[in-house]
Amino acid sequence: MKTRSFIVSGAPHIHENSSIHKIMWNVFAALIPASFVSVYAFGMDSVRVLGVSVISCIVLEIIALLFMGRNWKAAFDGSAAVTGLLLGLTLPAGISTGIILVGAVVAIIIAKQVFGGLGNNPFNPALTSRVFLLIAFPGPLTTWPLPRGLENIKDFMGVATVKAGDAITTATPLGAIKENAVKAMPSIQVNDLFLGVHTPGSIGEISALALLIGAAWLLYKKIITWHIPVATILTVFAISLLTHLISPDKYADPFFHLFAGGLIIGAFFMATDYVTAPIFNKGKLIYGVGIGILTIIIRLWGGYPEGVSFAILLMNSTTPLIDRFTVPRPFGFRKARNQS
Amino acid sequence: MSKAKTFKGGIHPSYNKHLSSDKEIVEAPLPEVVALPLNQHIGAPAKPIVKRKDKVKAGQLIAETGGFISAPVHASISGIVKAIEPVEHPLGKKVDAIIIESDGKDEWVEFNPVDNPFAADADTIRDKIKEAGIVGLGGATFPSNVKLSPPEDKKIDFVILNGAECEPYLTTDHRLMVEKTEEVVTGLKLAAKVLGVDKIYIGIETNKPDAISKMEKEIGDDGQVIPLQVKYPQGSEKQLISAITGRETPPTSLPMEVGAVVFNVGTCLAIYEAVFQGKPLFERVVTLTGHGVKNPGNFKIRLGTYVAELVEFSGGYKDNAAKLVLGGPMMGRAVPTDGIPIIKGTGGILVMTQSELIVRYYSDCIRCGKCIEACPNNHNPQLLGILIEKERFDKISEEQLEEIVLDDCFECGSCTYVCPAHRPMVQFFQQAKSYFNNKKKKR
């Protein structure tokens, strides 16, 4: 009898063929519609911001991996590109290239690689970087150029436009109601916010529709689950509805809060970051509600007009705790005791 | 047909059952030589009662039980005992086996069936099953007579036939249910009678409609066929029980704890043959399949037949055959050579090609949670995997994870199958299990 040798390896011998690479580049692709809208609204400035951010994040990741003697090809797994794109999308179109580079260093080196790279960072790198920039460079980070179609306005929602160098800048819708609540409210249509082309703001947050198209893709590909975004958005909606009913003159209506600012991009693309969010479904709901509450508190009563970044980062820090208290019941436990 | 039942969790791999699901069972020719390992079952190895140069007939007892949980071994061909020596065993370690060289005559011993089995008392049936060396043929190889002897204080409510066959590629149980419907059902009814149970369920995944309709017709009013969703690992004993009865077997307990006993399809056929025909277990049906063999199919073989001999009979390997797996692709074991005998618990032989090999490096966990979704036991493979990778066994003890997770993990591989970071979860768990086993031994 003739025998033959074979290759041996551990079970299972088949794999779903999923990979980090596929997941991350799918997230990247899901942000493309929002990126296109931003280029339409802000032109080449948007291309510059996003391009510099993505490329510098990938280059820094390569440098960091080489420095630590790790496989530098992991820089192309898509996670650095996603961080770069998310960081870019949270910045104003007029931001200087130098500040973007500082942001990339904070995101990739300080928020990610120092902790051990992908999978080990406690805080979302793009958000950490954005909040760092907001505190370090408050001026440039809150200078909002006028998007296409609004070039000739004198004021936006009651806030006068300002000439800053070559550009004319104004407030975001959330900034406007913070400064000028009563006058501002009637002058913006939820429609405009939803389509987003005619509102100032961070380049990626202006079109809720484009973001939702990307989010639908992620849900369809089962890359994210509904738990975190739905919990976050419903919480914001519920609280803002309540405050609006109590005092419509003082507080904007719930739809305004949904589509103005970074709630959509935050809830679907940042809060759902695997590494920094709770892992069990029950935990995800708690986490989402927490983000919603913190966001609306900061928006309505805090010092900053927008609170999504802070809310997500604060909730990032609660992730280990939430995970600990939401472990599901293993098969056969407890329930078995009540039988028989 | 009512809505198909299932359990929580699980995965949907490509089933690839079409390779062999329509192929009728073919009887393989008599092998020239067989190697019959002394432990083809869970429990104490059998003790040989033949010596070198003894002449044996097919069905003759050649090794007797070595303890309460043990099973005898019978010659599967007639011929001369050539040696009792260690051979490659499907489970890895070399173990002693009785090697028999065929004399080509295929003489069988005389069989002693039980008269009118449904009227016979339970002990007679149990003894017959024990004598025949029957173990669970699904792969667990637990001696069947032990399963049929629950302690007095355990009330058994259900007998379940496991016709799920959730492992991709394998079609052994499917073919048996279609071709040996009457024998399988009779064996099952007999097992239920021995246990004093009148509730019989037959769980079959809905991808086997021909088996469902034939079994439904055969069992009639004596039991109920339960269509099950096509999902891996639907055929895992505890998941099957929970899908059909809603009862969850506690970790480290046997299914009889919740009043259920589960039988494999092949085992029921073996019980039928042992009791009604007096035939000991020395043949079984295996699926030989995969893209690495020329003619996949289902074969009735003598136990102890070498894999190489069966493959040659079937038509041989394709040129790109690269990996030989005993069992299915999820839980089967890759073996280094085909010079390895087929034993009682071998339900399938899968030959994979070069292009199907997975060669990947794993990276850090990204906490995507896919393993948690996939785990049929609702465990947290993610956390445990990280703790084992970092060798934090102290932390595992502190969290009591070894009791909750490790003891009950049956290494179905669902977590590993879905992991986008390609983390070898099953191997992590095996590592931790052996760590804790060694620790227990030292104590």
Side-chain angles (χ1 to χ4, degrees):
Chain A
M1 182 179 58
K2 238 176 64 200
T3 62
R4 180 173 166 155
S5 297
F6 291 91
I7 294 165
V8 191
S9 70
H13 306 285
I14 48 177
H15 191 271
E16 191 180 45
N17 262 330
S18 56
S19 66
I20 294 176
H21 194 269
K22 275 188 198 165
I23 290 174
M24 291 300 169
W25 287 110
N26 263 302
V27 176
F28 193 90
L31 288 165
I32 295 294
S35 307
F36 272 125
V37 172
S38 78
V39 174
Y40 172 81
F42 298 107
M44 287 314 285
D45 256 348
S46 176
V47 176
R48 175 182 60 89
V49 173
L50 297 179
V52 169
S53 180
V54 169
I55 293 169
S56 59
C57 279
I58 294 177
V59 170
L60 283 164
E61 180 114 324
I62 294 173
I63 294 170
L65 290 169
L66 284 174
F67 181 74
M68 293 186 293
R70 289 186 166 196
N71 179 14
W72 62 273
K73 283 179 187 152
F76 295 99
D77 65 8
S79 66
V82 168
T83 298
L85 191 55
L86 279 175
L87 173 62
L89 289 172
T90 59
L91 299 175
I95 196 104
S96 74
T97 301
I99 292 179
I100 305 172
L101 291 176
V102 173
V105 170
V106 173
I108 295 296
I109 307 294
I110 294 174
K112 185 178 176 190
Q113 292 297 343
V114 160
F115 288 99
L118 181 63
N120 302 303
N121 46 302
F123 297 100
N124 182 301
L127 279 179
T128 309
S129 171
R130 180 193 147 81
V131 167
F132 170 84
L133 294 179
L134 182 62
I135 295 165
F137 308 99
L141 259 284
T142 48
T143 302
W144 312 101
L146 294 172
R148 177 191 298 249
L150 294 184
E151 293 95 338
N152 299 320
I153 57 166
K154 291 275 179 297
D155 71 305
F156 179 74
M157 293 172 68
V159 179
T161 55
V162 180
K163 203 160 167 24
D166 296 343
I168 300 169
T169 67
T170 182
T172 63
L174 282 168
I177 61 159
K178 191 117 219 165
E179 268 184 48
N180 207 348
V182 189
K183 260 190 263 168
M185 260 170 300
S187 66
I188 180 101
Q189 297 294 316
V190 168
N191 246 356
D192 280 345
L193 285 171
F194 187 65
L195 293 173
V197 187
H198 302 303
T199 49
S202 301
I203 57 179
E205 70 183 27
I206 58 167
S207 169
L209 178 64
L211 289 166
L212 287 172
I213 291 170
W217 174 250
L218 292 184
L219 285 166
Y220 168 73
K221 295 292 278 183
K222 296 195 171 134
I223 287 171
I224 60 171
T225 62
W226 58 269
H227 303 83
I228 295 173
V230 168
T232 305
I233 289 168
L234 281 184
T235 306
V236 168
F237 187 86
I239 300 177
S240 54
L241 178 67
L242 199 70
T243 53
H244 181 66
L245 289 177
I246 292 169
S247 173
D249 289 342
K250 209 168 158 203
Y251 301 114
D253 72 276
F255 288 103
F256 176 86
H257 277 289
L258 289 200
F259 299 123
L263 184 67
I264 302 291
I265 189 171
F268 282 99
F269 292 92
M270 292 166 167
T272 55
D273 171 22
Y274 293 148
V275 181
T276 55
I279 200 158
F280 303 112
N281 289 342
K282 202 165 109 194
K284 286 178 186 170
L285 293 175
I286 297 171
Y287 175 82
V289 170
I291 292 172
I293 293 173
L294 289 173
T295 298
I296 206 75
I297 287 177
I298 296 170
R299 278 188 184 180
L300 297 184
W301 303 294
Y304 283 95
E306 172 59 311
V308 173
S309 318
F310 295 105
I312 295 175
L313 281 177
L314 282 168
M315 288 309 288
N316 279 173
S317 68
T318 67
T319 291
L321 193 68
I322 292 176
D323 273 352
R324 220 184 149 72
F325 289 104
T326 50
V327 178
R329 180 184 66 86
F331 182 91
F333 264 73
R334 279 198 302 266
K335 189 176 169 189
R337 280 189 211 144
N338 303 333
Q339 285 171 5
S340 80
Chain B
M1 201 189 287
S2 57
K3 196 175 167 287
K5 295 190 173 184
T6 194
F7 61 98
K8 185 184 163 294
I11 55 169
H12 297 277
S14 312
Y15 279 86
N16 282 310
K17 302 237 187 210
H18 60 275
L19 291 176
S20 58
S21 58
D22 296 331
K23 304 268 177 72
E24 269 181 38
I25 298 168
V26 174
E27 190 153 349
L30 211 58
E32 287 162 24
V33 61
V34 292
L36 295 153
L38 295 173
N39 59 340
Q40 302 182 38
H41 50 263
I42 284 179
K47 291 189 207 120
I49 54 167
V50 290
K51 51 188 190 305
R52 217 168 88 85
K53 292 192 176 158
D54 277 3
K55 197 174 164 354
V56 294
K57 286 182 181 176
Q60 185 180 329
L61 183 71
I62 53 172
E64 58 185 18
T65 47
F68 176 65
I69 299 189
S70 181
V73 177
H74 300 81
S76 57
I77 53 174
S78 67
I80 308 288
V81 175
K82 205 178 98 192
I84 300 177
E85 61 179 25
V87 296
E88 292 281 350
H89 188 278
L91 292 182
K93 283 182 203 155
K94 280 201 168 188
V95 296
D96 277 341
I98 299 172
I99 318 271
I100 303 171
E101 219 165 38
S102 173
D103 56 12
K105 292 183 208 146
D106 196 26
E107 292 173 317
W108 290 23
V109 294
E110 207 173 304
F111 296 156
N112 296 310
V114 175
D115 290 330
N116 198 2
F118 279 102
D121 72 298
D123 280 334
T124 316
I125 308 285
R126 278 190 206 116
D127 288 346
K128 197 73 202 170
I129 289 169
K130 185 177 182 184
E131 265 172 43
I134 297 173
V135 298
L137 297 185
T141 65
F142 191 76
S144 299
N145 63 302
V146 182
K147 215 177 210 179
L148 287 168
S149 324
E152 299 270 321
D153 57 325
K154 292 275 176 289
K155 196 186 163 303
I156 305 297
D157 304 320
F158 314 100
V159 167
I160 299 173
L161 180 75
N162 187 350
E165 200 162 50
C166 61
E167 265 280 357
Y169 289 95
L170 305 190
T171 55
T172 308
D173 295 346
H174 181 186
R175 289 314 306 175
L176 286 176
M177 285 189 287
V178 172
E179 294 181 40
K180 300 271 182 192
T181 321
E182 191 190 336
E183 291 88 334
V184 170
V185 169
T186 311
L188 176 68
K189 281 185 193 164
L190 191 65
K193 188 186 166 276
V194 170
L195 288 164
V197 175
D198 51 10
K199 257 206 150 67
I200 298 178
Y201 289 121
I202 299 174
I204 305 175
E205 283 191 355
T206 52
N207 59 357
K208 300 180 256 295
D210 48 347
I212 291 177
S213 68
K214 281 200 114 171
M215 295 295 277
E216 245 165 9
K217 207 180 269 172
E218 184 63 37
I219 192 82
D221 297 332
D222 296 335
Q224 197 184 346
V225 173
I226 310 282
L228 301 167
Q229 273 181 35
V230 181
K231 191 164 80 175
Y232 177 88
Q234 182 64 72
S236 151
E237 207 169 41
K238 293 182 178 179
Q239 273 61 37
L240 183 73
I241 295 169
S242 113
I244 293 180
T245 71
R247 296 186 183 180
E248 292 188 7
T249 314
T252 72
S253 303
L254 291 172
M256 58 177 68
E257 201 67 37
V258 293
V261 173
V262 179
F263 287 99
N264 165 271
V265 174
T267 314
C268 287
L269 176 65
I271 289 173
Y272 169 85
E273 290 182 341
V275 178
F276 285 79
Q277 300 170 351
K279 185 182 160 198
L281 179 62
F282 63 84
E283 291 182 304
R284 76 155 296 158
V285 175
V286 294
T287 303
L288 170 64
T289 184
H291 296 102
V293 284
K294 285 184 185 148
N295 300 308
N298 304 290
F299 300 93
K300 187 171 172 189
I301 53 101
R302 301 294 168 90
L303 291 177
T305 303
Y306 281 93
V307 172
E309 212 168 327
L310 175 64
V311 174
E312 198 177 291
F313 162 71
S314 78
Y317 297 105
K318 284 189 191 159
D319 290 338
N320 54 359
K323 199 188 212 177
L324 178 66
V325 177
L326 296 187
M330 290 302 297
M331 286 184 74
R333 190 183 177 95
V335 289
T337 166
D338 57 4
I340 206 163
I342 300 167
I343 60 169
K344 291 175 182 174
T346 313
I349 298 158
L350 170 66
V351 184
M352 301 179 79
T353 63
Q354 197 75 40
S355 61
E356 289 171 312
L357 299 184
I358 308 172
V359 185
R360 287 190 186 119
Y361 295 97
Y362 72 90
S363 44
D364 286 350
C365 171
I366 58 166
R367 295 170 45 86
C368 67
K370 300 243 188 283
C371 53
I372 293 167
E373 291 294 311
C375 183
N377 272 343
N378 221 6
H379 291 158
N380 182 359
Q382 180 262 344
L383 176 63
L384 194 62
I386 291 176
L387 290 177
I388 298 165
E389 186 189 16
K390 304 205 186 310
E391 304 201 342
R392 288 297 306 276
F393 295 112
D394 55 322
K395 186 84 180 158
I396 295 173
S397 301
E398 192 184 301
E399 307 268 320
Q400 296 182 320
L401 286 171
E402 87 248 45
E403 282 119 41
I404 298 172
V405 183
L406 282 176
D407 278 351
D408 213 33
C409 170
F410 56 99
E411 297 168 24
C412 70
S414 299
C415 49
T416 316
Y417 177 82
V418 297
C419 182
H422 308 130
R423 293 169 67 75
M425 305 292 227
V426 171
Q427 285 68 35
F428 283 151
F429 302 150
Q430 287 167 343
Q431 184 193 345
K433 281 179 189 182
S434 75
Y435 171 88
F436 285 111
N437 281 342
N438 288 340
K439 209 170 139 193
K440 261 176 225 159
K441 266 184 218 155
K442 272 184 203 153
R443 235 180 256 152

